[in-house]
């Protein structure tokens, strides 16, 4: 779970996840373009690729190859676990 918090701590990685949540299955080129156009972030392709690696290691992004292209998809499962952790009632009354 620590990897998820580390991944979410960076604003660029959160912007990448926001972009994938809006339109899943993007290439590195598309992600870089959206970061520049929507968020004014001029990160290099190498920097964005490193951010994607961190997100993938945390289980928040998965990739699929199709020919020469690599597509990135958001994986919400780790986020559901975080939300469930704090939203679960567990039979306790709220003060």
């Amino acid at each position: 779970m620590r990897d998820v918090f580390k991944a979410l701590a960076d604003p660029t990685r959160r912007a990448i996840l926001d972009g994938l949540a809006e339109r899943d299955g993007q290439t590195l080129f598309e992600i870089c373009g959206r970061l520049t156009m929507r968020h004014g972030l001029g990160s290099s392709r190498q920097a964005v690729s490193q951010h994607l690696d961190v997100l993938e290691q945390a289980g928040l992004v998965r990739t699929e190859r199709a020919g020469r292209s690599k597509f990135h998809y958001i994986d919400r499962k780790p986020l559901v676990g975080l939300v469930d952790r704090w939203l679960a009632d567990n039979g306790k009354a709220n003060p």
Side-chain angles (χ1 to χ4, degrees), residues 26-76:
Q26 295 182 57
T27 65
L28 176 61
F29 179 78
E30 292 170 313
I31 292 169
C32 289
R34 288 175 71 91
L35 286 174
T36 300
M37 290 175 42
R38 293 194 176 214
H39 302 282
L41 299 173
S43 299
S44 69
R45 288 173 55 123
Q46 181 179 4
V48 174
S49 180
Q50 290 173 347
H51 284 301
L52 286 165
D53 286 344
V54 171
L55 290 168
E56 192 170 3
Q57 289 173 1
L60 294 167
V61 168
R62 62 180 173 75
T63 59
E64 291 180 13
R65 285 206 173 271
R68 294 177 62 183
S69 298
K70 185 177 181 181
F71 295 91
H72 304 274
Y73 299 89
I74 190 169
D75 188 342
R76 292 176 171 88

